[in-house]
Amino acid sequence: MPRGSSLFLALALPATAWAAPGIPAFSSSPGAGGTTQYTFSIEALLLLTSLTFLPAVLLMMTAFTRIVIVLSLLRQAMGTMTAPPNQVIVGLSLFLTFFVMAPVFDKVHETAWRPYTENRIDLAQAAELGARPLRAFMLAQTRQEDLALFVRLARIPALNGPEDTPLKVLVPAYVISEIKTAFTIGFIVFIPFLIIDMVVASVLMSMGMMMLSPVLVSLPFKIMLFVLADGWNLLVASLVATFQS
């Protein structure tokens, strides 16, 4: 099994896999009248609560944000309303995210997950080592202006280098950089479909068919253009290339 897939499966393990050794989830004690009292440890409760935020945290620190926004803007540009449906867009975005992030996940697996499972490091050390590849990935995709903005807003001391940027500053800077990049790509995607809409609207107006919706007429032409140009191939290749530059 590839190492990137191993990391993905590891993230889906129950909460006990991430718990530090020696933290019991439940404890029991004898009560009055032969009863038994059960208590839930606060450490396990905090761990389970933090796991609910894990998907959102991971999605914000990966390529998912850019990919899902671009695919959503593509659907709006084509005017196909609900085709492809949200489930397909989110699913394709997730698999493209795993494809793009595979080298980063491999580094996390080698430097953090494997030593942790072999009991060579504890959970805190694994978290610190695992954050380094993600930090390097986000720094490569974050604009300096956005990073400087959050450094200024956080009022943190001067950093020795970008690699010393704390995650509380880097993650929001990375997210807004991804959103701007995604909207820039979306603008480029919109242009050919906008031209088709304008041409169709002009033709219908010149023919006096103003009661006919231009969107209804241009939709087949936009779908045909996208299919003939092998649009999915071009778009996905361009998206992946933006993370490799």
Side-chain angles (χ1 to χ4, degrees), residues 29-154:
S29 59
T35 60
T36 303
Q37 298 178 350
Y38 297 93
T39 57
F40 193 77
S41 65
I42 188 64
E43 293 88 353
L45 179 61
L46 292 176
L47 180 63
L48 292 176
T49 304
S50 63
L51 285 179
T52 60
F53 298 97
L54 183 61
V57 171
L58 290 178
L59 292 181
M60 290 295 99
M61 298 170 65
T62 60
F64 180 81
T65 302
R66 182 188 306 185
I67 295 174
V68 73
I69 291 177
V70 171
L71 294 182
S72 300
L73 290 176
L74 170 65
R75 184 176 62 180
Q76 295 184 17
M78 294 184 64
T80 53
M81 305 299 291
T82 58
N86 291 331
Q87 293 86 344
V88 175
I89 290 180
V90 173
L92 178 59
S93 301
L94 282 173
F95 279 100
L96 287 177
T97 299
F98 285 123
F99 178 81
V100 171
M101 301 295 297
V104 179
F105 288 162
D106 288 343
K107 292 180 181 178
V108 174
H109 180 272
E110 290 295 329
T111 60
W113 177 252
R114 176 175 291 181
Y116 174 69
T117 55
E118 296 175 353
N119 296 324
R120 288 186 285 158
I121 58 176
D122 57 20
L123 182 61
Q125 292 173 325
E128 181 181 356
L129 293 175
R132 292 178 183 177
L134 286 173
R135 180 183 285 109
F137 172 80
M138 289 188 291
L139 282 173
Q141 305 297 329
T142 305
R143 298 187 309 145
Q144 294 184 358
E145 296 82 358
D146 297 328
L147 188 59
L149 169 65
F150 282 94
V151 169
R152 184 172 66 254
L153 293 177

Side-chain angles (χ1 to χ4, degrees), residues 8 18 66 77 86 88 109 155 162 178 184-185 211 223 244:
F8 170 68
W18 290 90
R66 182 188 306 185
N86 291 331
V88 175
H109 180 272
R155 297 180 180 179
E178 287 292 280
T184 303
I185 299 174
M211 300 300 295
I223 294 177
Q244 297 175 348

